[in-house]
Amino acid sequence: MNNGFDHLNVQNIEVAGFIREVFGYITRFKGQLFILKIEDCLMDHPLFPVLIRDITLLHKIGVKILIVPGTRNSIDRQLKAWEIDSDFESGVRLTTEEALPLIEQASLGAAQRIMSHLTAGGCHGMQGNWVAARSMGIIDGVDYMRTGRIERIEKNILEHLLSEDYIPIIPPIGWNKIGHAYNISSTELAMELCKYLTVGKLFFIGSENGIRAEGLHTGAQTKYLDVTDNGVISALDIEQAQEILDLNPDKLNFAQIDYLKNAISACKAGAKRVHLISGETQGSVLQEVFSSRGDGTMVYANQYSSIRPATTDDIPDILRIMQDYIAKGFLIPRTQESISEKLPDYVVYAIDNVIHGCGALHAFEDNTAEVAAIAVAANYRKSGVGAAIVRHLVATAKMRGYRMVFLLTTQALDWFYQLGFKDGTLEELPKTKRDHYNHKRNSRILVMNL
């Protein structure tokens, strides 16, 4: 019976933690702009209406939405129907005069399908030609004909539409000053928008469910990656993303390389987060928005996750995270007063300013210190948060010149062994700690010489 209640308690804690997270993100993202590039390969998928419905839900809670439709599949079908061949150079379509009208028709049709679904969801889409473009010209002897590069985006018009609660839909067609159209890259368009607008998140939504870690070469920046249960890299900063690109030119497909390159460029242009997720998974957008650990891969420029000193405002969250460990006897009880008294010893692990873990390093005589109070929120215990905190505390102890760190544990022996701790004895503890050792609790003593 107790095991069943314990399991139910953990579930309740996880649900409560998730609800707190959602409320925090709703407050944070209200009024922010999300740009979504949606691949047209999803438009015939059974879950496409569900994806658009989730996007309308975001819009209705105050998130500003701008959509760029991917059009490669639609264009391929249109050209095939007219028996027109299409060549590519380094992944870029070479657009002929003959093909351009059909490409325009396919691109505008993809945008129209998205707008129809938005209307069905109670939102107002607006499609327009707000992109000025120029010819790519001839590069290394290759004539790109009517394929273009973005020259300018009508920022003021887009900002006005967003302020009026419209969802702008921008097909990847640009026009020059005399009205000639050019076929442009939808991925490039989504990235370029980040240079003109203040963007909270940029989404690339297609059939790719992030960057899989299996088989990839890693280096100094990517030795320790946060990988989800389904094997996808959860998050990369721009330096890590560049290292993955540099080390794996033959292991990533074109779409993944294109995503990572444009994600890096978008972050440098000002986007706070760039996400690669699958539109074939129900709820993927909401999961990525309302959880700091979604199912896809995120690239970020600014500090996404960090271990920092705890503050007074963090104490309620520290107590919340510890409570499950205390109830199970893994940690000794703490109070707000006891934590406040030793607050300079505590650190917290925060993702987007939401606290998911904590730990402390208490100094003792004989140039030693104790690693203590290691706790992680229930829904983050498989994500490496606890190990990151312990490694941080050990690194801090080394920096301060301690000769040894120790800890007391009743349930996590094997886990601490993996982090480099070894069995110790009571005699190895500093006298103050020996004098207060709880023989009834009979904790195992682990040590690490620095």
Side-chain angles (χ1 to χ4, degrees):
M1 289 291 289
N2 287 337
N3 289 336
F5 282 120
D6 286 345
H7 178 67
L8 184 60
N9 187 45
V10 169
Q11 285 183 323
N12 290 338
I13 291 171
E14 290 178 349
V15 170
F18 177 72
I19 291 172
R20 291 190 191 98
E21 221 176 346
V22 168
F23 278 122
Y25 281 119
I26 288 174
T27 302
R28 184 174 300 117
F29 292 137
K30 187 174 183 179
Q32 287 196 23
L33 171 61
F34 291 1
I35 294 177
L36 291 79
K37 182 206 167 182
I38 304 175
E39 296 291 355
D40 59 344
C41 64
L42 298 173
M43 293 183 184
D44 294 322
H45 194 279
L47 288 178
F48 184 68
V50 179
L51 171 65
I52 299 298
R53 183 196 64 192
D54 289 346
I55 292 169
T56 63
L57 288 175
L58 288 175
H59 187 253
K60 289 173 182 178
I61 64 169
V63 175
K64 297 178 181 179
I65 301 291
L66 188 154
I67 296 175
V68 176
T71 57
R72 178 164 292 197
N73 281 37
S74 300
I75 292 171
D76 287 343
R77 283 198 301 267
Q78 189 82 322
L79 295 181
K80 184 178 180 180
W82 286 83
E83 298 181 346
I84 296 175
D85 294 330
S86 190
D87 296 325
F88 290 82
E89 181 67 28
S90 300
V92 177
R93 190 188 300 272
L94 306 182
T95 306
T96 64
E97 292 284 348
E98 180 187 24
L100 182 61
L102 298 172
I103 288 174
E104 286 186 77
Q105 185 178 347
S107 296
L108 297 176
Q112 184 61 47
R113 288 187 68 180
I114 291 174
M115 189 157 63
S116 298
H117 281 281
L118 290 174
T119 302
C123 293
H124 301 293
M126 178 73 76
Q127 178 182 327
N129 56 341
W130 304 302
V131 180
R134 56 179 171 79
S135 171
M136 284 183 64
I138 300 171
I139 302 173
D140 295 330
V142 178
D143 189 348
Y144 285 82
M145 296 171 283
R146 298 301 291 272
T147 300
R149 290 284 189 205
I150 297 165
E151 194 166 56
R152 189 183 72 259
I153 294 173
E154 298 294 344
K155 171 185 174 182
N156 293 338
I157 295 175
L158 292 175
E159 287 181 336
H160 176 72
L161 290 172
L162 290 166
S163 70
E164 293 293 323
D165 215 28
Y166 284 98
I167 298 178
I169 305 167
I170 312 180
I173 299 292
W175 282 263
N176 68 7
K177 292 181 180 179
I178 59 174
H180 289 169
Y182 291 99
N183 176 29
I184 58 178
S185 162
S186 54
T187 301
E188 181 186 348
L189 174 56
M191 183 275 292
E192 283 287 325
L193 283 162
C194 298
K195 298 179 181 179
Y196 288 81
L197 303 167
T198 302
V199 179
K201 288 181 179 289
L202 167 60
F203 287 87
F204 292 107
I205 308 173
S207 57
E208 294 278 347
N209 190 26
I211 307 297
R212 300 194 68 81
E214 185 179 1
L216 292 183
H217 299 301
T218 57
Q221 297 281 344
T222 51
K223 186 176 181 181
Y224 301 105
L225 291 174
D226 185 7
V227 179
T228 65
D229 291 341
N230 61 1
V232 170
I233 299 172
S234 179
L236 296 164
D237 63 30
I238 54 176
E239 288 79 15
Q240 291 173 320
Q242 187 61 57
E243 187 171 78
I244 291 292
L245 280 171
D246 294 341
L247 297 178
N248 299 278
D250 299 327
K251 291 185 176 292
L252 299 170
N253 61 38
F254 174 80
Q256 292 171 326
I257 292 172
D258 194 42
Y259 159 69
L260 287 175
K261 286 181 176 178
N262 281 281
I264 292 169
S265 297
C267 287
K268 290 180 177 178
K272 297 177 182 178
R273 309 278 189 268
V274 183
H275 303 262
L276 174 61
I277 61 173
S278 171
E280 298 175 354
T281 303
Q282 188 166 175
S284 58
V285 170
L286 299 183
Q287 175 74 10
E288 202 73 14
V289 171
F290 294 122
S291 168
S292 46
R293 201 163 185 269
D295 289 330
T297 297
M298 179 181 75
V299 176
Y300 58 96
N302 57 321
Q303 191 73 7
Y304 164 66
S305 61
S306 64
I307 298 170
R308 60 168 175 78
T311 67
T312 302
D313 291 339
D314 297 328
I315 294 177
D317 282 314
I318 292 173
L319 289 169
R320 168 180 61 81
I321 292 169
M322 284 184 176
Q323 189 54 46
D324 184 45
Y325 291 82
I326 293 171
K328 293 178 178 178
F330 297 171
L331 288 179
I332 61 172
R334 267 91 168 172
T335 64
Q336 184 167 338
E337 291 73 21
S338 66
I339 294 174
S340 180
E341 184 180 338
K342 293 191 175 183
L343 191 61
D345 295 356
Y346 281 83
V347 297
V348 294
Y349 187 106
I351 303 176
D352 280 334
N353 297 318
V354 178
I355 294 170
H356 297 293
C358 64
L361 186 69
H362 302 309
F364 281 84
E365 70 270 18
D366 298 333
N367 207 24
T368 63
E370 179 185 16
V371 172
I374 305 298
V376 178
N379 49 336
Y380 284 82
R381 288 174 189 167
K382 294 181 180 180
S383 63
V385 171
I389 294 171
V390 173
R391 291 191 185 102
H392 174 85
L393 295 175
V394 170
T396 300
K398 289 179 179 177
M399 182 181 66
R400 293 177 182 174
Y402 295 124
R403 67 173 179 85
M404 181 188 79
V405 291
F406 64 89
L407 60 87
L408 306 182
T409 183
T410 60
Q411 299 290 326
L413 277 169
D414 292 326
W415 187 74
F416 282 114
Y417 287 154
Q418 294 174 17
L419 296 175
F421 285 85
K422 297 181 179 180
D423 289 312
T425 64
L426 189 62
E427 288 70 29
E428 291 180 84
L429 298 181
K431 184 176 185 304
T432 305
K433 192 67 180 181
R434 287 201 308 270
D435 291 346
H436 290 88
Y437 178 80
N438 186 340
H439 289 275
K440 185 176 180 181
R441 185 173 172 81
N442 196 30
S443 300
R444 289 286 290 274
I445 298 167
L446 297 181
V447 300
M448 180 188 294
N449 293 313
L450 304 179

